[in-house]
Amino acid sequence: MSKRFNKSLAAVLVLLAGTSLTGCGRQHDSGVYTVLNSSTDESYHRWDAQAMARCGRQLGVTIEQQSVPAAQVMTKALRMASSKSLPDIVQFDASEMPTFAEAGGLVDLRTLGLRTEGVPRGIVDFGSYRGTYYGAARSVNTLALFYDKDALDRAGVPVPTTWDELRTAARKLTDGKRYGIALSAGGAEDGVFQFTPFMWSNGGDEAHLDGPKVVQALDFWKSLLKDGSLSKATVGWTQADVNDQFMAGNAAMMINGPWQVETLNTKKSLHWGIARIPVPKAGARSVGPLGGAVLTVPNTGDTAREKTAGRIIACLAGEKEQLTYALNSWMVPANERAAAVWRSRVPELDALADQVAQARSRTAELGAGWSNVSLALQSAFQSALTGQSSESALKRAQQRATSGNRGTRP
């Protein structure tokens, strides 16, 4: 799941590197280990507390979580770094992790004994920066096409698999106050997260935002808007807003992720299904973005605590705990064996596991430079979907991203 990112943090982290991130600070209780995460939601906080209690008993330590809103994890970690009071483990959104790693603020998990056998390469890359494995994922998510089964059945519309089919289906399903499809094109990371499947499946590249394949992808979004199948309000919607529209019956299909499933299931009259996101042409791969968080060990200089923190992560990200967490949260386990069991337990989400298998990390190519690309794309959406040509909007986006990414490519 995508989160808002403040690109100015990159510069701050560089200043902190080597000075505030390491060294002695306040004294820790030798038997108590702290995890900084974004599990402010009551359910997620409870699930994490239960997992930490199980791992704590297994390792003979006490594990406590300190939860703050997702948008505050990085700034909280920075403040703690400056006061030399970093927690033992930080759960970063994977798109933010490279920025902290670039400053030398994280420990290579392989040096702490963590292994990646049984984890798909894309998920290993998800937690890596410049080839070093800094973050272990317990579960991952991506986007899929959710659809109202009843609405499609009444309209005699098959589940679309290609862009042409999606456009046709969206037109047929648009009726009165109900749009054919809802997606997030808002000026935040949510919109960028939702654009990547269209960009990547079409062969577009984040390093060349003004390339013809990226222009085609944005033009496809514009075609949905032109048809009246997509609300003009999409430029202001978050992914939560999109889900609200779908649940209210204001959209027959939506692009969204598994974090919405728990809410979707509260409306018993809504019979929903999911499928892979349609591709430009039949036979193409549907490539979505990997989302989620990774568990990292800050470089505090206390090697003994760092080793124990590594053992805690190994437990929390182990097969058993991954499966438990994934079944609770509707996410997909990172480990292949755990994912296979997960598929058998929640067959209705099988298409999501297929989508994850082809998914890729947003930061795999540009590392910490992704934040500049994201900001540039956010501006391009606002311009292109309110009248400017996709070509002009993306040309400007490339100029912005290039000027901001100098020296950041790994």
Side-chain angles (χ1 to χ4, degrees):
M1 189 166 7
S2 54
K3 308 291 191 294
R4 184 180 297 274
F5 179 74
N6 184 343
K7 69 174 182 177
S8 66
L9 292 176
V12 177
L13 274 170
V14 171
L15 293 176
L16 288 173
T19 56
S20 299
L21 291 178
T22 60
C24 298
R26 65 177 174 82
Q27 294 298 309
H28 293 273
D29 185 321
S30 61
V32 179
Y33 289 77
T34 304
V35 179
L36 175 65
N37 63 22
S38 60
S39 299
T40 53
D41 178 86
E42 189 276 331
S43 295
Y44 283 85
H45 194 83
R46 182 178 71 254
W47 298 331
D48 276 337
Q50 292 168 348
M52 290 174 194
R54 288 190 293 268
C55 287
R57 286 192 294 271
Q58 179 179 320
L59 298 173
V61 297
T62 299
I63 309 169
E64 298 177 347
Q65 62 179 323
Q66 183 176 1
S67 302
V68 299
Q72 297 177 21
V73 171
M74 179 68 85
T75 51
K76 177 73 173 179
L78 282 169
R79 285 196 298 270
M80 297 176 84
S82 66
S83 62
K84 296 183 171 62
S85 59
L86 277 165
D88 300 285
I89 295 168
V90 178
Q91 181 173 288
F92 283 115
D93 183 89
S95 66
E96 294 183 339
M97 179 275 294
T99 301
F100 216 84
E102 186 177 45
L106 299 176
V107 178
D108 179 350
L109 294 183
R110 288 193 175 97
T111 67
L112 301 179
L114 275 85
R115 298 289 177 261
T116 57
E117 289 81 4
V119 180
R121 182 66 198 176
I123 299 178
V124 174
D125 290 343
F126 184 65
S128 301
Y129 178 62
R130 293 186 174 176
T132 301
Y133 184 56
Y134 292 112
R138 290 183 291 171
S139 64
V140 292
N141 60 65
T142 191
L143 295 166
L145 178 72
F146 287 72
Y147 56 92
D148 182 329
K149 292 181 178 180
D150 295 335
L152 267 66
D153 286 345
R154 284 193 297 267
V157 173
V159 178
T161 61
T162 66
W163 285 5
D164 284 345
E165 290 176 0
L166 178 60
R167 187 175 180 183
T168 298
R171 278 199 300 257
K172 289 182 178 179
L173 290 164
T174 298
D175 182 23
K177 293 183 178 180
R178 186 187 70 194
Y179 289 92
I181 189 167
L183 55 82
S184 169
E189 183 72 12
D190 275 16
V192 180
F193 196 67
Q194 296 225 328
F195 183 65
T196 53
F198 296 89
M199 176 173 71
W200 287 337
S201 297
N202 198 41
D205 179 7
E206 56 267 41
H208 303 95
L209 297 180
D210 54 352
K213 298 296 186 180
V214 185
V215 173
Q216 288 172 5
L218 188 49
D219 275 342
F220 178 71
W221 272 16
K222 291 189 69 170
S223 72
L224 298 172
L225 204 60
K226 181 180 178 181
D227 291 345
S229 306
L230 177 66
S231 171
K232 293 180 180 178
T234 189
V235 295
W237 282 346
T238 64
Q239 293 177 124
D241 296 329
V242 169
N243 193 59
D244 289 342
Q245 295 296 318
F246 183 70
M247 290 188 68
N250 296 330
M253 300 181 290
M254 71 169 177
I255 304 296
N256 227 314
W259 53 89
Q260 308 292 8
V261 170
E262 187 173 16
T263 304
L264 288 172
N265 284 342
T266 63
K267 188 173 181 178
K268 302 303 181 184
S269 62
L270 176 61
H271 305 126
W272 57 270
I274 67 167
R276 279 182 277 188
I277 296 175
V279 293
K281 300 292 181 184
R285 289 192 312 138
S286 183
V287 184
L290 277 174
V294 291
L295 295 166
T296 70
V297 176
N299 182 7
T300 62
D302 188 333
T303 55
R305 290 190 71 90
E306 288 169 3
K307 287 180 180 178
T308 301
R311 293 171 62 209
I312 292 171
I313 290 178
C315 178
L316 292 173
E319 272 185 62
K320 183 177 180 180
E321 290 297 340
Q322 275 193 26
L323 182 59
T324 299
Y325 185 78
L327 289 171
N328 281 332
S329 65
W330 302 98
M331 305 300 178
V332 182
N335 179 278
E336 291 175 324
R337 287 188 296 272
V341 176
W342 180 89
R343 280 178 185 258
S344 68
R345 299 276 190 91
V346 283
E348 66 272 25
L349 296 183
D350 195 58
L352 188 72
D354 290 337
Q355 191 85 57
V356 162
Q358 299 292 337
R360 53 170 289 198
S361 167
R362 286 162 286 165
T363 59
E365 184 171 355
L366 295 177
W370 169 260
S371 59
N372 294 310
V373 167
S374 176
L375 290 168
L377 278 174
Q378 291 167 31
S379 179
F381 299 156
Q382 301 297 297
S383 298
L385 297 177
T386 55
Q388 190 176 4
S389 73
S390 298
E391 186 175 7
S392 297
L394 288 168
K395 183 177 180 180
R396 174 60 179 157
Q398 179 61 25
Q399 291 170 345
R400 291 186 61 182
T402 301
S403 62
N405 278 341
R406 286 172 186 156
T408 62
R409 191 184 183 97

